[in-house]
Amino acid sequence: NFKDITAIDFMKEMNVGWNLGNSLDSHYGDNNGQPVLGQERTWGNVTVTEELIDYVKNTGFNTIRIPITWYYNTYKGEKGNLKIHQEWLQRVQEVINYAISKDMYVIINTHHEQPIIYAGVSDEEIKKVYNNSESLWKEIASYFKNYDEHLIFIMKLII
């Protein structure tokens, strides 16, 4: 159920935002097909906790951007399409829920996905980028389908 409001009113409700960078978007090495649940500490940050989100909310922010690198927690499905490890989706959902439970808006995106969404110049390469992006976002959207306007998706293609 989404509110029936204008884009301008929606932006006013979002008010002031904070960026949770270098946590769920950090990465290192190659994708070996296994979940990398310690990914958020790779660049030296601590594990994101509800107390951290409480602090952000209590300092006056009501919107949080959570950049997420999905690639290092993906594997090839039966039909060759990208699949996200359920453990990673659950961890992302846990962090999202920390904020949404405090009536905050959450913006998630694809970040540092160059290995799967970077396109060169050929038609074959761009088709692969579109297929990877479609697989990734279908799974993300399906997993989070019961959320309202407090969860916002941003997709980025690098062409």
Side-chain angles (χ1 to χ4, degrees), residues 96-114:
I96 289 169
N97 286 347
Y98 293 158
I100 289 181
S101 70
K102 288 148 191 44
D103 200 32
M104 297 176 77
Y105 291 93
V106 176
I107 302 167
I108 66 170
N109 67 336
T110 52
H111 205 71
H112 303 299
E113 308 295 353
Q114 289 84 342

Side-chain angles (χ1 to χ4, degrees), residues 85-95 143:
H85 288 286
Q86 287 298 300
E87 300 93 333
W88 185 240
L89 282 164
Q90 290 166 356
R91 176 60 183 146
V92 168
Q93 182 178 32
E94 180 177 32
V95 174
Y143 192 84

